Every structure is written in C-alpha cells, then in structure tokens.
Amino acid sequence: MSRINSKELEILFEIFENLPREGPGDSESTRKAYSLLKNLPFNPKILDLGCGSGAQTVELAKISEGNIQALDINQEFLDRLNKKAKKEGVFERITTIKSSMLSMDFEDNIFDIIWAEGSIYIIGFEKGLKEIKQFLKPKGYVVVSELSWLRKDRPEEARNFFQAEYPAMQSIKQNIEVIDSLGYLLINHFILPKSAWWENYYIPLEKRVKFLRKKYEKASEINKLLDSTQKEIDLFRKYSDYYGYVFYIMQNK
Ligand SMILES: C[S@@+](CC[C@H](N)C(=O)[O-])C[C@H]1O[C@@H](n2cnc3c(N)ncnc32)[C@H](O)[C@@H]1O
C-alpha cells in the first residue's frame, strides 16, 4: 500500500494477473453482509467501488436483482469482470466505469447501496466514508471491508510491517467510532474468515510468486516486489489472529 513507480506498477499487474480476486474475500461473506441489509427496493441501485475483476460484483448481481455500477481504475480488471458477468448471466445489470474513486462525480442521493470490498483504503477509511455519503440515498447502506487490528497486543514484526505499508490501519473500535462520528448507523460488523484470505488470494498469489521467481530469476526489480509479496503472505501465516479484514455494514441516518 506504500507508494510505487510506474515500472513497479507494471510488474505488480503481472503478479496479480488472473488471480480469482485482487484482495482477500469470499462469496459467503459478500452474501452474509448483503443479508444484513433490510427493506431494500426490488431493484436496488448499487455502486461497487474498486470492484477489481468483479468477484463480489457478480455475486451481488446474482443475489440482489439490482443494477450495479462497477468502478475501477484498471481496464483489464473490468474486462475480466464483463467476461465473468456474461458467463454468469448478469451482464445486462452491470455497467463498468473505468475511473478513479479519487475523483467521483455521481449525482447526489442516487445509490441504495455503496459497496467497497478491500478498496475504501484507497481514499482512506474516514475520508472515503465521508465522501461517498453524498451519493447515498437517505437510509441507503454502505458496506466496506477494511484491514483492521483485531487485538491490542500487536507483535512488533506485524506493527513494523503495517507502520510502513498501511500506517492508517485502525482497530475495530476506532473504525466504529469513525462510522458513528460521520452520522452513519452501524448495522453490524464481522471479521472475514481466514479461509477467505487463503483460498481466493494468498494460495494462488504464492503460486504466482514461485512461478515468476523462475521466470525472472535475475531481474532485481521484480525480485524485490516478489520478496515483499511473500513477506506479506508469511506475515499473515504467523499473525492472522492479530489483524484481518473486517466488514462494516452501516446505514445513512
Ligand atoms: C484490493 S483490490 C480489491 C478488489 C475487489 N474489490 C476484491 O475484493 O477482490 C483494490 C482495487 O482497487 C482498484 N483501484 C486502485 N486504485 C484505484 C482508484 N484510484 N480508483 C478506483 N479503483 C482503484 C484496483 O485496481 C483494485 O482492483
């Protein structure tokens, strides 16, 4: 999550190419979060921010009967999303938007639901929740998953890693305070299961790291990035009790 240059970005795309997801998550958790939203219209209007290749977008389309605007900065991910949506028979209800969530210009009060799995950090948890509020209908819902500290006794190695990679990371309690202070009603929150980190994300990512190490044996830039990706995976292997993704489900008051 730290700053990277364009060459590194190119390499990162190769590392993450064709993974089932671009971050930890699973369909069961998407469905669980959606099931907590009550009194929705029959065809809710949904904005999926930082949708990636659309694992949760397609799931949302299947469970909601809604119309989804899926926004991401990366066209390759959106192309994969469209392909997946066609295969699953939900293409007609999904519109992809290649744009940055840092400069959104939607009309005010138009979405019943704004969804951001593993992506609200891009604007910042607090700033992001504040900015998207204007696009939400009264009583509309926001669902985000955000990397959060799960315990107070944080091992030094994990603390140092996130101090460099994601210094803005907060505890569940702190994030709930932010949600309250912004005038949302917290409906519920839950921790993403560890299996959702491994099955759709770290296991395929670790295979990709091994493959690319062989492919680029002598390239120092890629090895640096492969090392840091592997370090992140190893850290979760050791310290997954201490941090995790947390789903926060909230409603516009
Ligand atoms: C960790 S991934 C999460 C993807 C997906 N929601 C999931 O859970 O699999 C973050 C996504 O945000 C996208 N992204 C990064 N910067 C962005 C920006 N400024 N505006 C919109 N999307 C962005 C990336 O391309 C990537 O697809």
Side-chain angles (χ1 to χ4, degrees):
M1 293 187 192
S2 52
R3 285 199 176 280
I4 50 173
N5 63 38
S6 62
K7 175 69 187 162
E8 287 174 328
L9 195 64
E10 206 179 289
I11 298 168
L12 269 182
F13 281 146
E14 184 168 4
I15 299 176
F16 288 88
E17 202 175 87
N18 287 326
L19 293 182
R21 300 186 67 110
E22 289 68 46
D26 65 10
S27 298
E28 292 72 34
S29 301
T30 301
R31 287 198 293 271
K32 179 173 171 182
Y34 190 83
S35 74
L36 296 164
L37 316 183
K38 303 294 175 207
N39 300 319
L40 286 169
F42 178 67
N43 294 113
K45 206 166 169 189
I46 304 172
L47 173 64
D48 184 4
L49 282 180
C51 57
S53 63
Q56 76 289 315
T57 324
V58 169
E59 192 60 38
L60 282 172
K62 286 198 217 162
I63 55 183
S64 72
E65 299 290 336
N67 290 302
I68 306 179
Q69 300 199 39
L71 181 147
D72 202 281
I73 205 161
N74 183 338
Q75 186 60 48
E76 283 169 38
F77 290 159
L78 296 176
D79 293 344
R80 283 176 52 206
L81 186 162
N82 280 323
K83 221 165 139 187
K84 212 178 283 174
K86 277 185 192 149
K87 199 170 151 212
E88 298 288 334
V90 292
F91 178 72
E92 303 304 325
R93 288 190 288 111
I94 299 175
T95 308
T96 53
I97 307 169
K98 184 193 177 295
S99 181
S100 174
M101 67 172 93
L102 300 176
S103 52
M104 292 182 283
D105 61 352
F106 298 105
E107 283 169 41
D108 283 357
N109 309 324
I110 53 162
F111 293 107
D112 295 292
I113 305 168
I114 300 181
W115 203 274
E117 280 195 40
S119 58
I120 197 72
Y121 78 88
I122 292 159
I123 314 181
F125 186 77
E126 178 163 7
K127 192 160 181 264
L129 291 180
K130 198 172 182 176
E131 283 184 11
I132 60 180
K133 209 164 191 264
Q134 61 189 303
F135 309 130
L136 204 59
K137 287 184 188 168
K139 302 276 178 195
Y141 291 98
V142 174
V143 177
V144 299
S145 66
E146 166 75 354
L147 196 58
S148 312
W149 289 111
L150 306 180
R151 288 167 54 156
K152 280 191 180 151
D153 54 337
R154 299 163 193 170
E156 196 183 351
E157 196 183 355
R159 238 186 316 130
N160 290 343
F161 181 85
F162 287 110
Q163 189 51 44
E165 294 298 320
Y166 190 36
M169 181 165 156
Q170 305 220 71
S171 66
I172 296 178
K173 186 170 171 279
Q174 286 170 314
N175 283 332
I176 290 175
E177 281 166 9
V178 168
I179 290 168
D180 286 344
S181 75
L182 293 174
Y184 288 104
L185 174 71
L186 182 76
I187 302 292
N188 212 330
H189 71 278
F190 63 87
I191 300 167
L192 186 76
K194 291 179 189 177
S195 58
W197 285 71
W198 289 113
E199 282 160 27
N200 299 317
Y201 192 53
Y202 277 163
I203 290 176
L205 185 59
E206 201 165 32
K207 278 193 189 139
R208 191 97 192 115
V209 168
K210 284 195 179 117
F211 169 79
L212 290 172
R213 269 204 204 286
K214 280 194 191 137
K215 183 173 167 190
Y216 292 106
E217 229 171 333
K218 295 197 174 69
S220 61
E221 298 117 325
I222 192 155
N223 272 308
K224 222 170 88 191
L225 276 172
L226 294 176
D227 287 347
S228 74
T229 308
Q230 186 63 52
K231 192 173 163 198
E232 183 190 316
I233 299 170
D234 292 341
L235 195 86
F236 189 72
R237 199 168 263 130
K238 268 165 124 173
Y239 300 121
S240 59
D241 287 343
Y242 296 87
Y243 64 91
Y245 264 94
V246 177
F247 267 85
Y248 299 92
I249 299 106
M250 67 204 87
Q251 187 172 29
N252 207 0
K253 277 188 194 163

